[in-house]
């Protein structure tokens, strides 16, 4: 990006391919590479409406319900993005421009990202169910439940 900006403003000769590369591939990759770990760290947007009410088991039960609905949504998003990637790959779809960038790659990046996030949510649901059964939160859960 820095080279493109310098070429654009200093020499009035931008790199014709850089915008497509950055917006199609790099931005998509940066977002989806971080989304699962962001969820693991608890750094995602979270509504903490019921966090102060009830016992550890009650809070874990509410989180299990919320995470289960999120799991369904992200599994659907995984399936749709994977289907789009396969259709784009088989159809030979490309972006018209200076370079014919294939469109299946960003779809596949999104699909992998949604799949990793769904897997992470599934593990989190299992941890919350364990908390409901035992009444004790694991070390990582204590940060999120308190």
């Amino acid at each position: 990006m820095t080279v493109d900006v310098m070429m654009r403003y200093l020499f009035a000769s931008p790199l014709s391919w850089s915008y497509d590369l950055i917006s199609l591939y790099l931005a998509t990759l940066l977002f989806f590479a971080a989304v699962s770990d962001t969820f693991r760290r608890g750094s995602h947007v979270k509504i903490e409406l019921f966090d102060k009410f009830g016992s550890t088991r009650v809070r874990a039960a509410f989180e299990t319900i919320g995470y289960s609905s999120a799991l369904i949504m992200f599994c659907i998003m995984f399936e749709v993005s994977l289907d789009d990637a396969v259709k784009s790959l088989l159809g030979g779809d490309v972006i018209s421009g200076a370079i014919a960038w294939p469109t299946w790659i960003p779809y596949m990046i999104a699909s992998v990202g949604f799949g990793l996030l769904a897997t992470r949510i599934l593990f989190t649901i299992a941890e919350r169910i364990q908390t409901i059964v035992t009444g004790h939160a694991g070390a990582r859960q204590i940060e999120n439940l308190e």
Side-chain angles (χ1 to χ4, degrees):
M1 278 196 300
T2 303
V3 172
D4 182 47
V5 169
M6 288 175 50
M7 294 291 290
R8 179 180 311 270
Y9 293 109
L10 295 178
F11 303 107
S13 180
L15 303 173
S16 59
W17 50 268
S18 68
Y19 180 77
D20 291 334
L21 173 72
I22 293 165
S23 63
L24 269 176
Y25 301 127
L26 297 182
T28 306
L29 182 62
L30 285 173
F31 176 79
F32 283 105
V35 73
S36 178
D37 190 56
T38 301
F39 177 81
R40 181 187 64 81
R41 294 172 186 256
S43 299
H44 60 288
V45 175
K46 179 180 173 184
I47 300 171
E48 298 177 347
L49 183 63
F50 299 108
D51 281 359
K52 302 296 180 207
F53 301 112
S55 66
T56 301
R57 284 183 167 152
V58 170
R59 288 180 286 172
F62 279 122
E63 285 191 354
T64 300
I65 293 167
Y67 289 146
S68 295
S69 62
L71 178 64
I72 292 167
M73 182 186 70
F74 287 118
C75 284
I76 292 169
M77 293 169 78
F78 167 76
E79 182 182 353
V80 168
S81 60
L82 183 61
D83 185 50
D84 287 344
V86 170
K87 286 179 183 175
S88 179
L89 177 63
L90 297 176
D93 296 344
V94 295
I95 298 292
S96 61
I99 297 176
W101 298 101
T103 58
W104 68 268
I105 295 172
Y107 288 127
M108 190 58 71
I109 292 169
S111 179
V112 169
F114 287 132
L116 290 172
L117 181 57
T119 303
R120 173 69 64 190
I121 291 171
L122 189 62
F123 285 130
T124 302
I125 290 170
E127 289 174 349
R128 296 309 187 263
I129 290 171
Q130 181 182 10
T131 299
I132 294 168
V133 171
T134 65
H136 301 292
R140 214 181 63 181
Q141 286 178 278
I142 291 172
E143 296 172 6
N144 294 331
L145 290 174
E146 290 183 346

